[in-house]
Amino acid sequence: GAGVSQSPSNKVTEKGKDVELRCDPISGHTALYWYRQSLGQGLEFLIYFQGNSAPDKSGLPSDRFSAERTGGSVSTLTIQRTQQEDSAVYLCASSLRQSVDTQYFGPGTRLTVL
Amino acid sequence: LAKTTQPISMDSYEGQEVNITCSHNNIATNDYITWYQQFPSQGPRFIIQGYKTKVTNEVASLFIPADRKSSTLSLPRVSLSDTAVYYCLVQASGTYKYIFGTGTRLKVLA
């Protein structure tokens, strides 16, 4: 069956531009998560959706970051006015429900800000 | 929040048992502990999950002492393909945050 997919796989952008990263979760999974992984670093939790709702957005690094989810499926992570420190791999995961369910990760989007 | 701490790296030889410990002193009553494996350029992959005592599946065992302030992932008879980064995850109960450990880079040598 299809796993979590993310697009684009790679994105190179110039400082100050806006970018949109997309995540398609596993069909039927109600919970969706975004993480950021800088080069050689661990996973930094950004935001979690239960359905279309994000109960806590405090993990987003700054107000330049926003995320939405529509139809309980696809999610987009938007970074406005990108900075070089935003360069990282952005990982999306989904799980059947929230709580302690196994998270299935996508391959990630590698973002490079020049 | 249940902050987690893991050793940065470990080396082992093929066929040996490897134990990786994660410390989570502030774990909450309802938190579970989950371990993930990550290969380069891939997303993490679920290995095992537990709440207390011992859990075993076809690839690993997870030992959690009674106070639950730490957990140990045990990989029996590792092979070269087990070279990866291993993360423990503790859900911060009631806060909708997912705190991964710093990760342990395991290198299996021939």
Side-chain angles (χ1 to χ4, degrees):
Chain A
V4 176
S5 61
Q6 294 185 244
S7 61
S9 55
N10 281 284
K11 176 71 176 178
V12 180
T13 189
E14 293 180 348
K15 178 182 173 181
K17 296 285 180 70
D18 298 351
V19 295
E20 258 191 18
L21 311 180
R22 176 187 169 110
C23 173
D24 283 88
I26 293 172
S27 178
H29 280 193
T30 62
L32 185 146
Y33 316 77
W34 283 98
Y35 295 87
R36 178 169 71 173
Q37 189 169 36
S38 301
L39 185 63
Q41 302 299 310
L43 291 95
E44 175 189 5
F45 171 75
L46 298 179
I47 194 168
Y48 146 78
F49 286 91
Q50 181 60 39
N52 294 330
S53 174
D56 185 345
K57 299 182 180 181
S58 63
L60 295 173
S62 75
D63 57 8
R64 296 185 294 105
F65 287 72
S66 62
E68 67 172 12
R69 188 179 185 195
T70 56
S73 182
V74 172
S75 175
T76 55
L77 178 69
T78 302
I79 308 173
Q80 295 180 311
R81 305 180 303 281
T82 52
Q83 303 294 313
Q84 288 184 332
E85 60 262 29
D86 299 334
S87 296
V89 175
Y90 290 82
L91 290 158
C92 173
S94 70
S95 65
L96 191 59
R97 299 174 300 267
Q98 190 248 343
S99 188
V100 299
D101 283 1
T102 298
Q103 296 183 35
Y104 296 86
F105 283 80
T109 293
R110 181 175 298 278
L111 174 66
T112 302
V113 182
L114 302 177
Chain B
L1 297 177
K3 181 181 177 181
T4 59
T5 304
Q6 303 176 231
I8 294 174
S9 64
M10 297 179 70
D11 288 348
S12 181
Y13 288 94
E14 280 191 293
Q16 289 188 331
E17 178 184 79
V18 171
N19 296 308
I20 305 174
T21 297
C22 179
S23 296
H24 28 80
N25 290 321
N26 297 324
I27 191 168
T29 302
N30 296 329
D31 289 346
Y32 278 68
I33 301 129
T34 312
W35 284 79
Y36 287 84
Q37 175 190 56
Q38 187 178 29
F39 297 111
S41 302
Q42 295 185 23
R45 183 175 68 175
F46 173 86
I47 302 174
I48 197 167
Q49 182 184 77
Y51 181 79
K52 61 180 179 181
T53 63
K54 178 183 176 182
V55 178
T56 297
N57 63 21
E58 62 276 9
V59 298
S61 293
L62 179 59
F63 300 91
I64 305 169
D67 66 7
R68 304 202 326 124
K69 294 186 176 183
S70 66
S71 58
T72 299
L73 173 72
S74 181
L75 303 172
R77 300 179 298 282
V78 294
S79 63
L80 295 175
S81 62
D82 292 318
T83 294
V85 180
Y86 293 82
Y87 292 95
C88 67
L89 167 65
V90 175
Q91 179 188 351
S93 178
T95 64
Y96 306 105
K97 285 185 168 63
Y98 298 83
I99 312 300
F100 274 83
T102 50
T104 297
R105 191 173 300 274
L106 173 65
K107 185 175 182 179
V108 180
L109 307 169

